[in-house]
Each structure stands twice: as C-alpha cells, then as structure tokens.
Amino acid sequence: MKLRLVATCLFGLEKLLGEEIDALGLEREETMDGRVTFLGELSDIPRANLHLRCAEHVFVLLGRFPVTTFDQLFEGVRALPWEEWIGKLDAFPVKGHAIKSKLFSVPDCQSIVKKAIVSRLSEKYGVKWFAESEARYQIEFFIFKDVASLMIDTSGVPLHKRGYRPASGAAPLRETLAAALALTARPREDVLFWDPMCGSGTIAIEAAMILANRAPGLGRDFAAEAFPQIKASFWRDAREAAEAAIKRDASFEVYASDIDENILDVVYENALRAGVEEYMNIFQADARKIEKLDRRGTVVCNPPYGERLMTPAEAEQLYRDMGRAFSKLSPWQIYIITSHPQFERLYGQRADKVRKLYNGMIPCFLYQYFKPKK
C-alpha cells in the first residue's frame, strides 16, 4: 500500500533533501518551504528515518483538505482513518502550526483536532474514554494558506539528534545543517576535507559519515519502532542493509582542528560515537595560520557570528584574518557559513555563490568559493 510521507527540514535544505529521497528510490510528489512530500511503503519509513541526512522528521500524511472554519477542521479531521493507526489504548497527543491562514490560533486548532480524533475513535471502538497508555502516536497538524495537513510523526526525537553528540561546544551547529554543508562541498575520497574551526566537530563528523556511507540514524531509535503497523523485520532489514552499505575499506581523511585545545577531546568522543574516529585527524591549530598542503583540499567552516563566543568587533577582525589566510589556499575550495551581512567585504573577496540557510531560527548565508583565483 502506497503511503504519502512528508520529510521536514530547515529552510534552504529542500533541494538536498529531495535528492536524498530520490537516492532512496522513492517518488517525490511535492516540495514547499521546509518540507518534501513523497510516496512510499511501510517498509520505507525505517529507510527514510535511517538515511535522510537533511530531514528533521518523517511523517505519515493521513490527509489534506481546505479549511477556513473550526467546523471544517473538525469534520475534516474526523473523516480521516485514525483507527488504522491508533489503537484503543494508544496515546495520541496533538501539536502543530498555522501559517498564513484564517485559523491562526494554534491552541484552538490543537483542541479541535484532538476532539475530532477522539470522536472518530469513540465511534470505531465503542468507548468514551481513552487511557492513552500504550504506543505513542504524535499527531501534527500543519495549516498553510487555509489547507490543513494531518500527520503522524514516525521519528520522535528530531532526526538532527543522531546520538553521537551528547556534549557540544558553546555554539553547536545542528547536525542536519552540518550534513547539508558537507554535501554542498561534495566530499570525495581523494580530496582532503578540513574544518579548521571545528568546535565540537559536527561538520567534519558529518562529512566523514557521508564519505563512509554511514547512515546518520544508525546510532538511535525512532518513535515508529513502537508502531505495530510497521513490522520489526522492516526495521531489522533496514538497519542490516545500512550496516552492510558502510564502506569499511574507505581511505579518505578528514581534518578537524580548532584553536581551543580543550574542545578536542569532545570532538574525538563524538567521532567515536559516530563510528568515524578512524578517518579523523583531530588537532589544535589556529585557522588564521592555515597552510595549504601538497594535495587537493576543501575547507568548510562555521566561524563565530559575533552573536556567540566573540564580540562583533572580534568576529569582524577574524573574518579579515581568514580572508588573508584562506586566499593562499587556492585552488582549494572554501565554504563558510555565517550570519554576518557584510562578510564578503570583511573577508575581502566576493563569493562565487551565496546560499541563504537557517541554523535553527538564525538566518545565515553559505559563502562558496570554488573557482580558482586568477
């Protein structure tokens, strides 16, 4: 049976997420800001959760319908086949969002969605009260431009929480965004990948996981593992296939360096939990004194924004110093993410391409330098 599934992501990552869905052999149906809808089987839910590096959640889409009144919302929700998923003793909390719609009160929508589901299940099961003591089905509604989407979350804890980073530096970068930066830089075995401001090591670790073809979800659990609709064998088969796909004989190397020597133990511990420590060269170094090695290389980094770790003046001086140091690395490719609007002026060079992204709710820009300097 074909299901409609929705993978959500940070704004700006939709294209990369869509390409990941394609790579799993799944059919994309629709793309909008922060989400991609695609078709799949029940057995594809474990595969999507395990493999999608840029996704935040994977949802089952139960239905979508126009809605401008609370009565329409109630009837639309009540018409959906909730009993196909939620049992008599199962929990079904509700949360959601309403954007650019006549129904804008999230608490009111939340209450109505819950009442409509209870009404449907009461009729189907012949009970008035639900213990909500067994499997937990997190219901999520998304009302956008007066169209409501009703979904069940299969991921649980957001997918950016891979499980390898219980500790992080003072300015953590979300793992899904770090993976997107690495994917954009196109890591290859014969090209050194180097983050010279690695912090807790997230960008470098995500790059190593990509190069080793290690599925990002192998170190964690998912909400839908408790769903009886999805056979335990689907999860077992998906994990076994992901383990078998890891490149055990890969010969690449990833550098992770930082000026703060105290963070390096954290980087190693995170890499160890991620299963990629053998590919990492972790060391103390000042990015402002970086020197090109006699090989091809790509630098990807997330320097301080001036909103964290440094004062704005200190961050701006760092960008000037980076511009002087990194200019000597040509023809290496350079990818720098920052929220500073005047970064190119401070860095001293216009980027070949600039891409707007979000680190959580912070808008930022990925400055890409990939053309050799003349």
Side-chain angles (χ1 to χ4, degrees):
M1 179 184 70
K2 284 287 184 183
L3 300 170
R4 295 174 81 192
L5 304 173
V6 177
T8 57
C9 63
L10 295 172
F11 291 154
L13 304 191
E14 298 85 0
K15 181 176 183 294
L16 289 170
L17 176 56
E19 291 169 354
E20 289 190 281
I21 290 167
D22 294 344
L24 288 175
L26 301 173
E27 181 185 347
R28 271 191 273 174
E29 194 176 59
E30 179 187 24
T31 300
M32 62 179 292
D33 286 351
R35 59 192 58 220
V36 179
T37 304
F38 60 103
L39 301 178
E41 311 278 349
L42 282 171
S43 58
D44 293 317
I45 291 173
R47 294 176 62 233
N49 276 291
L50 280 165
H51 289 280
L52 294 179
R53 300 182 190 279
C54 297
E56 295 294 326
H57 288 269
V58 175
F59 295 96
V60 175
L61 178 63
L62 257 70
R64 183 179 288 163
F65 49 88
V67 57
T68 56
T69 68
F70 289 130
D71 283 344
Q72 287 177 331
L73 178 61
F74 182 91
E75 294 301 332
V77 172
R78 192 178 187 281
L80 298 176
W82 297 103
E83 67 280 359
E84 292 180 5
W85 289 90
I86 302 169
K88 190 187 299 187
L89 299 177
D90 294 336
F92 48 102
V94 176
K95 63 181 179 180
H97 306 276
I99 301 170
K100 298 179 181 177
S101 298
K102 291 183 175 65
L103 301 184
F104 57 86
S105 170
V106 169
D108 287 339
C109 292
Q110 197 172 1
S111 176
I112 287 164
V113 169
K114 182 76 173 185
K115 288 176 182 176
I117 298 172
V118 167
S119 176
R120 170 87 181 200
L121 295 180
S122 292
E123 181 182 314
K124 295 295 178 180
Y125 293 134
V127 296
K128 296 294 183 184
W129 182 82
F130 292 88
E132 300 200 41
S133 57
E134 293 195 354
R136 186 176 190 271
Y137 292 82
Q138 178 65 62
I139 311 302
E140 181 141 340
F141 63 85
F142 179 62
I143 305 175
F144 180 69
K145 293 184 176 178
D146 298 324
V147 175
S149 298
L150 273 295
M151 304 172 292
I152 295 174
D153 183 11
T154 70
S155 303
V157 174
L159 295 177
H160 73 262
K161 296 188 177 181
R162 318 286 204 214
Y164 67 74
R165 197 178 72 171
S168 61
L173 187 75
R174 193 174 290 194
E175 292 89 333
T176 42
L177 180 55
L181 301 182
L183 287 167
T184 301
R186 296 181 301 116
R188 288 145 285 172
E189 279 202 23
D190 60 341
V191 178
L192 172 65
F193 188 102
W194 188 349
D195 181 356
M197 302 179 182
C198 71
S200 58
T202 312
I203 294 173
I205 289 169
E206 291 291 330
M209 291 173 72
I210 292 166
L211 285 162
N213 199 36
R214 186 177 186 88
L218 273 173
R220 53 160 289 169
D221 298 323
F222 306 95
E225 289 183 75
F227 295 2
Q229 294 85 356
I230 305 174
K231 296 177 182 177
S233 62
F234 291 165
W235 292 99
R236 184 177 63 252
D237 291 348
R239 282 199 167 90
E240 288 177 357
E243 288 279 359
I246 296 172
K247 296 178 181 177
R248 307 288 179 182
D249 57 351
S251 59
F252 66 89
E253 188 175 28
V254 171
Y255 280 14
S257 61
D258 199 277
I259 195 170
D260 179 7
E261 191 170 13
N262 295 324
I263 197 67
L264 300 181
D265 285 342
V266 172
V267 179
Y268 178 78
E269 289 163 6
N270 289 345
L272 186 67
R273 280 186 287 265
V276 293
E277 80 288 349
E278 65 186 289
Y279 306 112
M280 308 271 296
N281 185 355
I282 301 165
F283 57 97
Q284 190 275 334
D286 187 339
R288 295 168 295 188
K289 300 176 182 177
I290 192 171
E291 293 185 4
K292 184 172 67 174
L293 305 177
D294 187 21
R295 59 189 293 191
R296 295 171 68 198
T298 297
V299 169
V300 183
C301 63
N302 171 37
Y305 293 173
E307 299 171 9
R308 57 184 181 86
L309 299 181
M310 287 184 166
T311 66
E314 289 171 333
E316 290 178 359
Q317 184 57 50
L318 173 63
Y319 300 157
R320 295 186 188 97
D321 295 340
M322 286 169 59
R324 285 189 287 271
F326 289 8
S327 67
K328 301 171 186 175
L329 299 180
S330 184
W332 284 20
Q333 296 184 353
I334 312 290
Y335 297 81
I336 302 167
I337 187 169
T338 175
S339 67
H340 199 297
Q342 300 298 319
F343 173 79
E344 288 169 298
R345 178 180 60 80
L346 295 161
Y347 186 75
Q349 184 182 349
R350 289 189 65 84
D352 298 312
K353 186 176 181 180
V354 181
R355 186 171 175 182
K356 188 173 184 180
L357 298 170
Y358 285 80
N359 184 15
M361 296 304 294
I362 302 173
C364 48
F365 298 90
L366 177 60
Y367 296 92
Q368 305 173 50
Y369 299 89
F370 45 76
K371 295 178 181 177
K373 290 186 68 176
K374 296 178 181 179

